[in-house]
Amino acid sequence: MKSKQPPAPLIISISSGKGGVGKTSFSVNFAAALAKLNKRVLLIDGDLGLANVDVLLGLNVRRNLQATVEEGCDPTELLLEVEPGFMVLPASSGIPEMANLSSEEQAYLTDALEPVITRFDLVLVDTAAGLGEAVLWFNDWAMENIVILSPDPTSMTDAYALIKVLHTRYDKKRFHLLVNSSRSDKEATEVFSTMRTVLERFLKISPHHLGVIPQDEVVSKAVRRQKPFLLTNPNSRAGKAVHEIAERIIGSYFSDICKVN
Amino acid sequence: MTRLDLSGDPERILLDLEQQMQHYPFRPLRLTGNRNRMLGLFLLPRSIPLAETVLQRSLTEIALQLEEWAGVEKMAAGLPHSSNHRACPAAGRSAGFGLPHLEERLASEIERVRQTRLPCGLILLQIGSGAVDPLPEVHAQLPGKATELIRAVLRKSDVLLAGHSFRFGVILPGTSLRETTKCAERIRKALANEFPSWDIFDPAAAVSIGLVFCQASDRESAGSLTAKAAKELARAVELGGNRICQAALAADSICQVTAEERAELFGNLSNRDRQL
């Protein structure tokens, strides 16, 4: 019998503009939550020059995406399993050349990734901070774009700048905003509301409120232990928040892929 | 004749001499070396009774002979005055990149962009280094083949213009920057596979592409967009190895977070902080 063509995976980029907002921490926990919900998840470390997904997961990486770009290595050979259904494609750290790939190399890399990602239900790309070409490229490649921001004004400005560039240059219109490290629900609502007002007024786009991750000490502890808090402290406030976001994403995507906003 | 100052920079002297030839019955034809360094001038009497095509062929032969001369990379034409233009079409490329109707088509496309607010892309490409002009007869069938290959990766709505020496222009109506880049990549792949480095003057250059992007907020004219794309193409040729070079977006300035946007963000933040 002829096998049924698998559906294309949902590719989600996770960016923030500003560094240190919690992209990687969210990415690894979000991936773990999705895997717990029986989805096959690939987490690609999109910070090609200063990768640290492997650090947060305590992985021992021997070869990474640098081998694909420089030697033509099949990315399948680089996959590392974290949990059943949760795999990581690690990148290099301290290699400036990897942080500044040419458009040709970037195109080659995404071409090389295409056959690998078909094995998964969801592909998450944890991008670098800033507005580098690779950040923009991965965001353009992704079908859905999550932008993380904290209540810090610099984080909000940088998140807005990232959205503005993606909208202006790449015609991206749908953004999922995630407020991280919020001290209260009220503060998170204010932050989202401010961003929505400015985005609607100046860019004429209406962002989707993906959720809030409250300040929680388990987050920094998990970073130090190099284990996702979703696995070590699933019932913590942060753990529950990430789990809810994962459920929401799966619900919206697998019931009606693009019905957000 | 104005006296030449022979004590200065040799390149400066040659440029002065080239300028002065506009007033005398000689066609100045540049001999350039690496990085477009000017090495000398051919001064051809305009009275030479040769048909233009014969003259072109002779110049190509001279260039072939000069290949042996260390440091000489290519021969290019001098100033674009009318007789020189006919003798060496390269001289006339500054306007419209030597592609008939490019700027007219682009100008109407820019007008459409401003009306519909749908962006457009412009791709200029060249196979080989452009040093061989005209093409040796053995390659006479290649421009048609290249046109076919490029057309095959374009949409029906895209405009393809062909010029001298394997130079092409593509206007992509209603196309985002990303799609313009992808289109350039498709063209590059199609041509690079078909045309290995046959250019005897610059074996490293196979297919070189320069691209620019235009959107409603831009205030660029067709001429300046073409010039930008041509500059990127020249950069791609210089870099060699099937490069695609993209101009910095004129629209980058509109990506900047404005004072008004900051005020809105920070104004709301200040209110929030007061409430907290």
Side-chain angles (χ1 to χ4, degrees), chain A residues 204-224:
Chain A
K204 313 287 180 230
I205 52 177
S206 191
H208 171 238
H209 191 185
L210 183 61
V212 178
I213 300 178
Q215 268 187 351
D216 193 335
E217 60 180 14
V218 300
V219 178
S220 53
K221 278 183 185 170
V223 171
R224 287 194 294 272

Side-chain angles (χ1 to χ4, degrees), chain A residues 104 111 137 140 151 153 156-157 160-161 164-165 168-170 187 190-191 194-195 197-198 201-202, chain B residues 177-178 188-189 215 242 249 252 254-257 260-262 264-266 268-269 272 275-276:
Chain A
E104 202 175 317
D111 279 353
W137 189 286
D140 187 38
M156 293 180 67
T157 310
Y160 178 77
K164 189 173 182 182
V165 171
T168 310
R169 285 177 57 167
Y170 298 92
E187 184 184 51
E190 291 280 351
V191 169
T194 299
M195 283 297 285
T197 305
V198 182
R201 180 175 167 198
F202 293 99
Chain B
L177 173 66
R178 185 74 208 100
R188 187 190 68 78
K189 276 184 184 166
Q215 55 191 0
N242 294 326
L249 284 179
D252 274 355
I254 69 154
C255 290
Q256 194 174 352
V257 179
E260 205 182 358
E261 289 164 334
R262 281 173 186 268
E264 185 84 25
L265 275 171
F266 297 144
N268 287 346
L269 285 174
R272 192 191 82 215
Q275 287 162 1
L276 290 170

Side-chain angles (χ1 to χ4, degrees), chain B residues 4-6 8-21 28-31 37-43 79:
Chain B
L4 282 170
D5 177 9
L6 298 176
D9 172 23
E11 196 163 1
R12 186 70 253 160
I13 295 166
L14 288 167
L15 285 168
D16 285 347
L17 184 60
E18 187 184 50
Q19 285 279 358
Q20 290 194 25
M21 284 308 106
L29 294 167
R30 267 185 209 184
L31 179 66
R37 190 163 53 93
M38 201 165 166
L39 299 175
L41 283 177
F42 286 113
L43 299 180
L79 295 173

Side-chain angles (χ1 to χ4, degrees), chain A residues 3-256:
Chain A
S3 65
K4 205 177 171 183
Q5 184 76 15
L10 172 62
I11 306 172
I12 303 174
S13 66
I14 298 156
S15 303
S16 65
K18 186 179 181 295
V21 179
K23 284 183 300 300
T24 308
S25 172
F26 172 72
S27 298
V28 297
N29 286 286
F30 185 42
L34 292 165
K36 268 188 151 186
L37 293 166
N38 296 321
K39 295 296 170 195
R40 296 166 301 164
V41 186
L42 172 64
L43 174 57
I44 298 173
D45 197 335
D47 193 347
L48 300 174
L50 286 170
N52 47 27
V53 163
D54 54 319
V55 177
L56 286 197
L57 291 169
L59 299 173
N60 184 17
V61 177
R62 290 186 181 169
R63 301 186 84 202
N64 55 51
L65 283 171
Q66 190 183 1
T68 299
V69 175
E70 293 182 355
E71 302 159 28
C73 170
D74 182 350
T76 312
E77 296 171 20
L78 309 173
L79 292 174
L80 296 171
E81 188 176 60
V82 180
E83 291 283 317
F86 173 13
M87 299 197 100
V88 164
L89 199 45
S92 56
S93 192
I95 310 288
E97 292 76 15
M98 285 295 291
N100 299 301
L101 294 185
S102 67
S103 56
E104 202 175 317
E105 288 167 327
Q106 192 80 48
Y108 170 76
L109 180 59
T110 41
D111 279 353
L113 292 175
E114 293 290 349
V116 182
I117 64 172
T118 55
R119 302 172 175 195
F120 298 90
D121 301 313
L122 293 109
V123 176
L124 310 181
V125 187
D126 173 35
T127 74
L131 295 172
E133 281 302 316
V135 174
L136 302 179
W137 189 286
F138 279 129
N139 270 283
D140 187 38
W141 186 53
M143 295 143 73
E144 302 289 341
N145 306 100
I146 294 178
V147 177
I148 301 187
L149 63 160
S150 72
D152 176 0
T154 54
S155 161
M156 293 180 67
T157 310
D158 292 356
Y160 178 77
L162 173 69
I163 292 172
K164 189 173 182 182
V165 171
L166 289 171
H167 176 64
T168 310
R169 285 177 57 167
Y170 298 92
D171 203 27
K172 289 274 178 180
K173 293 187 176 70
R174 193 169 51 235
F175 295 93
H176 305 272
L177 298 188
L178 173 67
V179 182
N180 193 20
S181 306
S182 167
R183 286 173 290 183
S184 65
D185 284 349
K186 188 182 174 190
E187 184 184 51
T189 308
E190 291 280 351
V191 169
F192 176 74
S193 172
T194 299
M195 283 297 285
R196 185 177 58 192
T197 305
V198 182
L199 288 168
E200 283 178 349
R201 180 175 167 198
F202 293 99
L203 304 183
K204 313 287 180 230
I205 52 177
S206 191
H208 171 238
H209 191 185
L210 183 61
V212 178
I213 300 178
Q215 268 187 351
D216 193 335
E217 60 180 14
V218 300
V219 178
S220 53
K221 278 183 185 170
V223 171
R224 287 194 294 272
R225 285 178 192 158
Q226 297 179 279
K227 288 272 182 195
F229 57 79
L230 196 113
L231 301 178
T232 55
N233 300 82
N235 294 319
S236 61
R237 291 197 303 152
K240 283 178 181 170
V242 173
H243 186 78
E244 279 171 21
I245 290 167
E247 279 185 328
R248 207 172 306 146
I249 283 278
I250 288 175
S252 65
Y253 176 65
F254 291 95
S255 61
D256 184 357

